[in-house]
Amino acid sequence: MRPNVIVVFTDQQRWDTVGPFTPNLDRMARHGTQATVALTPQPVCAPARAALQTGRYPTTTGVYRNGRVLPPEERTLAHHFGAAGYATGYIGKWHLAGNEPVPDEERGGYQSWLAANALEHTSDAYRTIVYDEANDPVLLPGYRSDALVDAAVRFVADHHEEPFYLFLSFLEPHHQNEVDNYPAPDGYEERYQGRWMPPDLAALGGTAHQHIGGYLGQVKRLDEGLGRLLDALRSMDLLDDTIVAYTSDHGNHFKTRNGEYKRSCHDASLRVPLALRGPGFDGGGAISRPVSTIDLPPTLLAAAGLPVPPEMQGRSFLPLVRDPRASWPEEVFFQVSESEVGRGIRTSRWKYYAVAEHADPWDVAAASSYREQALYDVVNDPHELVNLAGYASHAEVAAELRERLVRRIVAAGEAEPVIEPAAEVPGRPQAMTDPEVRLRGPKPVRFGHQRP
C-alpha cells in the first residue's frame, strides 16, 4: 500500500525557530527524520516554490525571480502523484501564476484547489480569502493559519479512502506586506516579545527587536496547527500510513543584510527547517550533511515507491536516512536573484558566494562572470559576522571552493562562468585565530538543542 503524502510549507521561517517554540515539530523531527542543515536553492518566494514543485533549479524552469509564471509544460509533484492514482490537492499560497484567481492551466496539475496566488494580498490575519476550483472566492473562518489547517483536515477526511497527496502552503510567518508587520493571534506577540533573539539579529540589529514577538507568535500558532493536523490523521487511523514533510521556502534576516528580509547569501536567508515523519522516515534520526529543499521532491516520490523523473535536478536523500555514510555531495548549491545575481555553495564548514556585479538582478537570470564576495567559516563563525573573502590566510580554501562552485553552476545547467577572486584585504581577519582550515566541520546539533 502506497503512503499518503502531506507537505506542510511555511513562508519565511528561520531554521533556528525550531525547538522550544515548536514542540510538535520538534517531536516530529526527533521521532522521524530531520535534516539539520537544509537550505533553499533560492531565498526568494516564487523561485523556491518552483524548485519545490518540480525538483528543478529556478534558472531551469525560468522562475528565477518573483513575477514569473511556472511554465505549463513543467511537471510538478501533482502531475507525478496524480499519474500514480493519487488524489492531489493544494491549499494556501501558490505564487507561481500570473493571475488572481489562478486559472486552471497555471495550477501545476493539482486536482483539488483552495488557494490564492498571493495570499498576502487576498487576506489578512483574521480574514482569509482563497479561491476554489471554479475560481469562486471562499472566506475561511478563523486566524489565517488555523483556517488553512481546518481546510487541510477537511481534504484528508474527504479523501481518506484513497491515496492522497496534499500541499498545505501557509503565509505565516511572512510579514503582512501593506503594513510591514507580523500579525500573530491575539496575545501571542506579547507572549514572545523579548523572550529570545537569534544571535545574528542581536549583533546586527535590523527590525528584529520590533518584529520578533509577532514572528515567533506566528511560528507558535503554526506549530499548534501542525499538532492538530497530526491529531486528525491519528483520529482517522491514517498517521502511520502518511508521510508528513515540514519545510519553508526561505528564512528571514530582518533587514540586517540588505533593505528587506531575504535575498542574501546568509544562513538567515537560506537555511530552513526540514523534518519528515511516516513510512520510510520514522526513527531515521538526523541527517547531518547539508541538503537542499530541491532534494525533497525526488525524496517524496522515492519514499512513495514512485520513479524519480530524470529531469529532476534534485536527488533523493533516502540513502542518507538509511545510511549516514552513503554517497552524497559535500556542498549545497544555491542561486540568489532580485537583490543581485549571485551563486554560492554551502558545505558543513564553509559558505562561498560570488556576485555578477554589473548584471541587472531583475532581468538577468545568470551571468558569464562573477566576483567572489563572501567566504564564511560557519563552524567557527556560525552567525556569519566575519567575511573572510580576500584574506591571504584563506586564499587556498577560497580557490578550491571557487572551482567547486563553477562545477556546480555547470551541473545546474548554466554556462561555465569565470569567477574572479575578491580584492585582497590586508592583515588578518578579526576574531579568527586559526588560519589553518579544513573542508569539513563537526556535525550540527539537533533541532531541539540549538539554544538554551
Side-chain angles (χ1 to χ4, degrees):
M1 178 179 175
R2 286 179 174 162
N4 307 307
V5 178
I6 299 176
V7 178
V8 179
F9 192 58
T10 63
D11 193 330
Q12 211 162 273
Q13 184 176 0
R14 292 172 59 103
W15 68 277
D16 52 8
T17 58
V18 180
F21 308 111
T22 58
N24 292 301
L25 178 56
D26 191 48
R27 188 179 309 111
M28 180 175 130
R30 285 185 284 106
H31 293 286
T33 296
Q34 58 176 295
T36 57
V37 182
L39 280 81
T40 179
Q42 245 270 31
V44 182
C45 187
R49 291 163 184 270
L52 198 57
Q53 291 298 325
T54 65
R56 287 152 62 80
Y57 283 106
T59 47
T60 304
T61 64
V63 187
Y64 68 90
R65 61 163 170 81
N66 286 339
R68 304 275 294 185
V69 177
L70 185 67
E73 63 270 18
E74 287 290 336
R75 303 285 290 175
T76 70
L77 283 171
H79 290 117
H80 300 305
F81 279 110
Y86 279 68
T88 64
Y90 197 96
I91 295 172
K93 177 179 175 178
W94 178 239
H95 211 170
L96 290 172
N99 298 283
E100 189 81 89
V102 178
D104 181 71
E105 64 273 14
E106 295 183 4
R107 296 177 189 165
Y110 285 89
Q111 300 158 356
S112 177
W113 185 262
L114 194 62
N117 190 54
L119 188 60
E120 57 266 51
H121 299 310
T122 69
S123 67
D124 59 34
Y126 282 96
R127 182 176 173 81
T128 305
I129 296 177
V130 289
Y131 299 90
D132 62 15
E133 292 91 349
N135 273 338
D136 292 327
V138 178
L139 175 63
L140 302 177
Y143 180 72
R144 184 165 43 205
S145 63
D146 293 343
L148 297 181
V149 170
D150 292 343
V153 172
R154 288 193 293 271
F155 175 90
V156 171
D158 290 343
H159 297 280
H160 71 280
E161 294 183 346
E162 58 185 329
F164 61 81
Y165 156 66
L166 172 65
F167 201 100
L168 173 59
S169 177
F170 296 102
L171 178 63
E172 285 74 21
H174 193 283
H175 56 288
Q176 190 70 35
N177 293 54
E178 69 273 16
V179 290
D180 191 25
N181 71 356
Y182 294 78
D186 290 349
Y188 278 61
E189 178 177 354
E190 296 82 353
R191 183 188 306 179
Y192 294 107
Q193 188 65 34
R195 178 172 170 182
W196 172 73
M197 184 69 67
D200 62 313
L201 303 183
L204 298 173
T207 67
H209 291 84
Q210 175 186 351
H211 289 146
I212 196 68
Y215 182 81
L216 292 177
Q218 289 183 335
V219 168
K220 178 63 175 179
R221 191 64 158 240
L222 285 166
D223 187 70
E224 292 171 349
L226 173 65
R228 289 200 298 115
L229 178 61
L230 296 176
D231 283 349
L233 290 169
R234 180 178 285 112
S235 74
M236 288 181 272
D237 200 25
L238 295 173
L239 188 61
D240 292 338
D241 302 318
T242 302
I243 296 169
V244 180
Y246 185 108
T247 192
S248 191
D249 55 352
H250 52 74
N252 190 339
H253 64 69
F254 288 94
K255 300 186 180 181
T256 55
R257 305 293 186 168
N258 55 40
E260 41 83 62
Y261 295 113
K262 52 242 184 194
R263 300 178 182 90
S264 84
C265 71
H266 305 90
D267 273 13
S269 294
L270 292 166
R271 196 169 169 187
V272 294
L274 177 56
L276 304 97
R277 67 153 320 280
F281 299 100
D282 286 344
I287 297 173
S288 61
R289 298 200 223 173
V291 301
S292 172
T293 53
I294 203 174
D295 300 320
L296 187 57
T299 301
L300 294 175
L301 291 175
L306 303 180
V308 175
E311 64 269 20
M312 282 191 172
Q313 295 171 291
R315 58 188 293 178
S316 169
F317 53 72
L318 269 182
L320 291 179
V321 178
R322 299 163 180 156
D323 180 5
R325 297 166 298 180
S327 175
W328 191 256
E330 293 297 329
E331 70 277 331
V332 166
F333 171 65
F334 62 91
Q335 305 168 331
V336 177
S337 72
E338 296 193 2
S339 63
E340 55 202 13
V341 180
R343 299 292 183 268
I345 53 174
R346 165 69 149 84
T347 75
S348 296
R349 176 71 186 268
W350 301 105
K351 171 79 61 61
Y352 181 82
Y353 183 62
V355 171
E357 296 173 309
H358 304 294
D360 185 325
W362 189 256
D363 293 328
V364 175
S368 59
S369 64
Y370 296 84
R371 171 77 66 178
E372 180 182 299
Q373 187 183 81
L375 173 64
Y376 293 105
D377 180 346
V378 294
V379 170
N380 293 304
D381 178 27
H383 310 299
E384 297 172 311
L385 302 178
V386 181
N387 186 355
L388 303 171
Y391 283 99
S393 59
H394 291 75
E396 184 177 346
V397 71
E400 179 171 344
L401 293 169
R402 190 178 308 124
E403 293 179 1
R404 289 164 68 171
L405 175 55
V406 169
R407 290 196 295 268
R408 291 304 300 263
I409 289 173
V410 173
E414 301 180 49
E416 181 174 338
V418 173
I419 300 179
E420 300 289 344
E424 185 175 347
V425 179
R428 291 168 58 87
Q430 294 180 347
M432 301 297 292
T433 59
D434 182 8
E436 298 298 323
V437 294
R438 295 181 296 111
L439 290 178
R440 294 183 64 184
K443 294 180 179 180
V445 293
R446 293 177 62 89
F447 276 162
H449 303 281
Q450 304 293 353
R451 57 183 180 276

